[in-house]
């Protein structure tokens, strides 16, 4: 671990406070009219998910945690968990569903994801930015509605629901953003 000044903390960094690993969600530098500047830090405990706000003097130092980042290939679900394989040493790792969160619905067999670990414990899983999926159910196209900006619900092959433009129907492959499950465009294949 390395020591860093509170003023240099940025969103996404992981620090250790009182034996807990916390990810920085937000860091605001506050400069009162009188006195020294302070860093107002909003952070989330990685293991429990509890959020907390703390203030530090900008010169104060904190322990920055170094995380291991490796590429893993998604293999299969195992109950509530997911099994991945390290692409460099072929070791398998089981990741809890709450570590991945909502994007877990977009996991596909063979998909390569980046997993951040600390002392062998998976803390964060980053899926590819986009995924291509087939629409299995969608309302029919209504004539004259293609010029408007209205969207209609559609169900993808993995069961996820997404809002698509009116001209997109069943059987069409689309590209979806994995972070929030939004429609990007029709697949070009």
């Amino acid at each position: 671990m390395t020591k860093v000044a509170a003023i240099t903390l940025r969103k996404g960094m992981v620090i250790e406070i009182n034996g807990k690993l916390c990810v920085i969600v937000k860091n605001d530098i506050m400069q009162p009219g009188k006195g020294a500047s302070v860093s107002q830090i909003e952070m989330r405990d990685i293991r429990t998910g509890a959020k907390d706000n703390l203030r530090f003097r900008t010169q104060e130092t904190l322990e920055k945690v170094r995380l291991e980042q490796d590429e893993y290939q998604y293999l299969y679900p195992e109950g509530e968990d997911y099994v991945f394989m390290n692409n460099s040493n072929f070791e398998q790792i089981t990741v809890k569903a709450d570590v991945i969160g909502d994007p877990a619905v977009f996991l596909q067999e063979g998909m390569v994801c980046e997993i951040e670990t600390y002392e062998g414990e998976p803390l964060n899983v980053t899926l590819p930015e986009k995924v291509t999926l087939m629409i299995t159910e969608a309302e029919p196209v209504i004539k004259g509605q293609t010029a408007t900006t209205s969207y209609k619900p559609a169900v993808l092959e993995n069961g996820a629901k997404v809002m698509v433009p009116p001209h997109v129907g069943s059987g069409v492959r689309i590209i979806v953003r994995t972070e929030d499950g939004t429609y990007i465009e029709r697949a070009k294949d």
Side-chain angles (χ1 to χ4, degrees):
M1 285 186 269
T2 57
K3 290 196 176 277
V4 294
I7 197 167
T8 63
L9 294 176
R10 299 286 175 257
K11 180 180 176 181
M13 285 184 169
V14 178
I15 58 172
E16 183 177 355
I17 296 180
N18 302 329
K20 296 189 291 187
L21 293 179
C22 299
V23 64
I24 305 295
V25 177
K26 192 175 179 185
N27 182 11
D28 291 325
I29 308 300
M30 301 170 72
Q31 299 175 336
K34 185 177 178 185
S37 299
V38 293
S39 289
Q40 176 77 31
I41 298 174
E42 184 179 326
M43 58 190 168
R44 180 180 48 84
D45 188 321
I46 291 176
R47 293 187 175 112
T48 64
K51 285 193 174 183
D52 199 6
N53 284 318
L54 292 175
R55 271 187 189 180
F56 298 99
R57 292 187 317 273
T58 53
Q59 312 87 328
E60 241 177 297
T61 58
L62 299 162
E63 295 284 335
K64 180 182 173 198
V65 177
R66 179 153 167 73
L67 299 177
E68 299 289 325
Q69 295 178 334
D70 285 310
E71 286 191 344
Y72 286 79
Q73 182 177 5
Y74 173 64
L75 298 177
Y76 56 89
E78 189 176 83
E80 292 286 315
D81 303 333
Y82 300 93
V83 178
F84 291 84
M85 178 183 67
N86 188 316
N87 284 346
S88 56
N89 60 15
F90 306 109
E91 288 181 10
Q92 291 187 3
I93 186 170
T94 302
V95 179
K96 296 196 179 306
D98 59 340
V99 171
I100 302 171
D102 294 338
V105 73
F106 296 110
L107 282 172
Q108 297 174 336
E109 190 175 315
M111 178 182 277
V112 176
C113 303
E114 184 178 277
I115 298 181
E116 292 180 324
T117 58
Y118 178 70
E119 295 178 351
E121 180 184 352
L123 301 177
N124 186 30
V125 177
T126 305
L127 274 65
E129 186 180 333
K130 306 180 258 190
V131 66
T132 303
L133 294 164
M134 175 93 64
I135 295 177
T136 56
E137 289 179 40
E139 294 177 11
V141 177
I142 299 171
K143 188 173 181 178
Q145 194 178 21
T146 56
T148 65
T149 57
S150 64
Y151 279 69
K152 64 181 183 180
V155 179
L156 302 174
E157 61 186 284
N158 63 356
K161 292 183 176 144
V162 65
M163 299 299 284
V164 297
H167 65 276
V168 178
S170 293
V172 175
R173 291 173 50 80
I174 62 169
I175 299 174
V176 179
R177 184 174 288 114
T178 57
E179 183 180 352
D180 55 7
T182 56
Y183 168 85
I184 297 176
E185 63 183 354
R186 287 176 82 146
K188 307 252 188 298
D189 50 17

